[in-house]
Amino acid sequence: MLDADFFRRWMTAAAASVDREAERLTALDSAIGDADHGSNLQRGFAAVLATLDKEAPDTPGAVLTLAGRRLISTVGGASGPLYGTLLRRTGKALGEAAEVSEEQLAQALRAGVEGVRALGGAAPGDKTMIDALVPAVDALGDGFAAARSAAEGGAVATTPLRARKGRASYLGERSIGHQDPGATSSALLIAGLAEAAEGSGE
């Protein structure tokens, strides 16, 4: 079973990955976006960790809901609302249980991804974060490591796609040949989940 400590470790691992990869995320975003994706998420996840340390929510759902709220309030552009919706919807779906199963997390994360799809109007193949999140959720039934591999594969697979959503879509054919920064950061988020699981022996 997964408790609030597990979800705090997930946010901590995700923040560390974003911090480590911030320059790469910004480089990817400079090719087809605003060139601020790495720095924006770096600032957002640092704020998430500071808030979780201060408020110490005691259920999995509360950890993710608080993290989502903090991302919305600190990350500019589309990324804040999209990541915030992902975590808040997932947290809401987990409810107030003190512990949740991996299956419950998979179902809740699917609800979170559906929230992102509803907000951004993106579908798989549009060259967005959805291209990493959907395969990750689909693979979560096979374990956290499988979800991480699926997310990373989904992010890489955005490279030959033409963007159909967001700022990158304005580039048309010129968006082809660049890995999507949102899918890449989503893969980092899922990698953080796998790291948290490895640390707890799940």
Side-chain angles (χ1 to χ4, degrees):
M1 295 294 282
L2 311 173
D3 59 12
D5 284 341
F6 174 88
F7 285 82
R8 275 194 287 270
R9 288 200 303 278
W10 177 15
M11 292 299 101
T12 300
S17 292
V18 166
D19 193 52
R20 195 167 52 241
E21 299 287 336
E23 288 187 13
R24 178 175 173 241
L25 291 174
T26 292
L28 291 172
D29 197 33
S30 68
I32 58 174
D34 293 333
D36 59 4
H37 190 58
S39 56
N40 274 343
L41 284 187
Q42 196 175 28
R43 181 177 63 253
F45 274 99
V48 166
L49 294 190
T51 302
L52 290 177
D53 280 344
K54 183 179 179 182
E55 301 191 23
D58 58 2
T59 67
V63 169
L64 295 188
T65 301
L66 182 59
R69 281 208 310 267
R70 202 72 182 105
L71 287 176
I72 289 172
S73 65
T74 55
V75 179
S79 297
L82 291 170
Y83 273 104
T85 294
L86 174 66
L87 296 183
R88 287 180 66 194
R89 291 287 182 89
T90 302
K92 183 178 179 182
L94 289 175
E96 299 179 355
E99 294 182 327
V100 299
S101 67
E102 292 180 25
E103 183 178 359
Q104 288 173 311
L105 171 57
Q107 292 173 349
L109 194 54
R110 189 176 296 281
V113 172
E114 287 307 311
V116 172
R117 291 184 64 169
L119 179 63
D126 283 345
K127 199 180 182 86
T128 71
M129 58 195 289
I130 289 297
D131 289 308
L133 292 174
V134 168
V137 170
D138 289 344
L140 201 49
D142 295 325
F144 294 110
R148 171 169 53 192
S149 295
E152 290 171 352
V156 171
T158 62
T159 302
L161 299 177
R162 174 177 173 165
R164 292 197 292 257
K165 289 291 179 182
R167 187 177 180 85
S169 65
Y170 303 154
L171 298 177
E173 296 287 336
R174 286 184 291 141
S175 66
I176 295 173
H178 302 281
Q179 185 169 318
D180 182 65
T184 305
S185 58
S186 293
L188 294 178
L189 181 68
I190 300 300
L193 179 60
E195 287 181 34
E198 289 163 359
S200 62
E202 294 289 342

